[in-house]
Amino acid sequence: MEAVFFDFDGTLCDTRTDILDTYRRTFVRLGLDCDQQAFRIGPPLAECVREVLPDAPDELITEIARVFRELYDDSGFPATAPYSGVVPMLAELRKTAVPLFIATNKRLCPMRKILEKFNLRDAFVEFYTIDTPLPSGETGKTGMLRTALARHGFHPDRCVMIGDTVGDIRAGAAAGMKTLAVAWGYETLPQLQAEQPDFVAVHPQDIPPLLAARK
């Protein structure tokens, strides 16, 4: 295995409570009424808002996103934490000297704050986030992965994308990588298995032996 790529929300950290609370506070501030529990965790922010407000004008979507970012980045993330077993799993993987990366639809600012809060920043070589500039023609998480593969000269089939959503598995497969679905995140195991990932982990401790078997 040449490199391991992780999604963030729902894979490394449980961020749901803080994200949904920020949606609630955003809608209260803007005087909007919406079922914040309907928001999905994982897709880009504007896409999530558009799903629950399909008829909203672009200007309103932009303003919701602006207020959300302001409130979320300054929240301190009181309810966010790594999933049980993630920290020792990362420590075990680091012993193998295989470089670890993050590829996420989250923005860099809040993600780095959360990693630093839990002393996990140094576990990763590099971050690819929704606001990372990508080469012309590359977009989304697949574009992040392709950019990283090209930049570091990795062979796609010797790298793995680990995530908790259908989008993660599809992005990894589209980039030619192996894929590993985790069962503790924000989409169901049947949804993930329908994408035919190469591996499935039901607990973070499953990941190191699954990857070791690929050597």
Side-chain angles (χ1 to χ4, degrees):
M1 193 66 64
E2 291 183 349
V4 177
F5 290 79
F6 287 93
D7 171 54
F8 189 79
D9 300 288
T11 300
L12 294 175
C13 288
D14 185 358
T15 56
R16 179 190 293 274
T17 298
D18 287 328
I19 288 175
L20 293 181
D21 181 65
T22 304
Y23 277 126
R24 179 190 61 78
R25 292 191 293 136
T26 297
F27 275 62
V28 168
R29 176 180 288 191
L30 295 176
L32 299 170
D33 183 24
C34 184
D35 176 14
Q36 285 83 47
Q37 294 298 321
F39 282 100
R40 288 198 295 147
I41 312 295
L45 174 59
E47 181 179 327
C48 293
V49 175
R50 179 64 71 186
E51 286 180 353
V52 297
L53 294 175
D55 299 324
D58 291 343
E59 300 79 25
L60 179 57
I61 300 295
T62 298
E63 180 64 4
I64 291 171
R66 184 193 68 78
V67 174
F68 177 95
R69 291 172 183 136
E70 174 188 320
L71 295 175
Y72 187 63
D73 291 5
D74 293 335
S75 69
F77 321 102
T80 292
Y83 286 99
S84 175
V86 160
V87 172
M89 176 270 291
L90 291 174
E92 188 170 349
L93 288 180
R94 293 184 73 187
K95 293 177 184 177
T96 69
V98 174
L100 308 182
F101 295 78
I102 290 177
T104 177
N105 286 323
K106 204 174 195 70
R107 290 174 300 111
L108 179 62
C109 175
M111 188 197 69
R112 289 192 69 153
K113 287 183 177 182
I114 294 168
L115 289 173
E116 289 166 0
K117 180 177 181 178
F118 296 102
N119 298 314
L120 292 175
R121 166 64 184 84
D122 293 339
F124 302 95
V125 171
E126 198 170 23
F127 308 127
Y128 289 84
T129 63
I130 195 67
D131 48 356
T132 297
L134 298 178
S136 177
E138 295 290 9
T139 60
K141 192 165 288 188
T142 300
M144 298 177 203
L145 297 175
R146 287 176 176 159
T147 299
L149 293 170
R151 181 174 296 171
H152 294 276
F154 296 138
H155 296 84
D157 63 352
R158 292 193 55 78
C159 299
V160 62
M161 175 64 200
I162 300 175
D164 70 304
T165 68
V166 166
D168 295 324
I169 305 307
R170 289 178 178 172
M177 299 166 63
K178 300 299 180 184
T179 57
L180 190 158
V182 304
W184 54 83
Y186 301 143
E187 290 189 358
T188 68
L189 189 54
Q191 287 176 301
L192 296 168
Q193 289 174 323
E195 299 299 317
Q196 299 182 319
D198 295 286
F199 314 98
V200 174
V202 298
H203 188 277
Q205 69 187 19
D206 298 335
I207 293 177
L210 284 171
L211 299 186
R214 284 289 306 166
K215 291 185 178 180

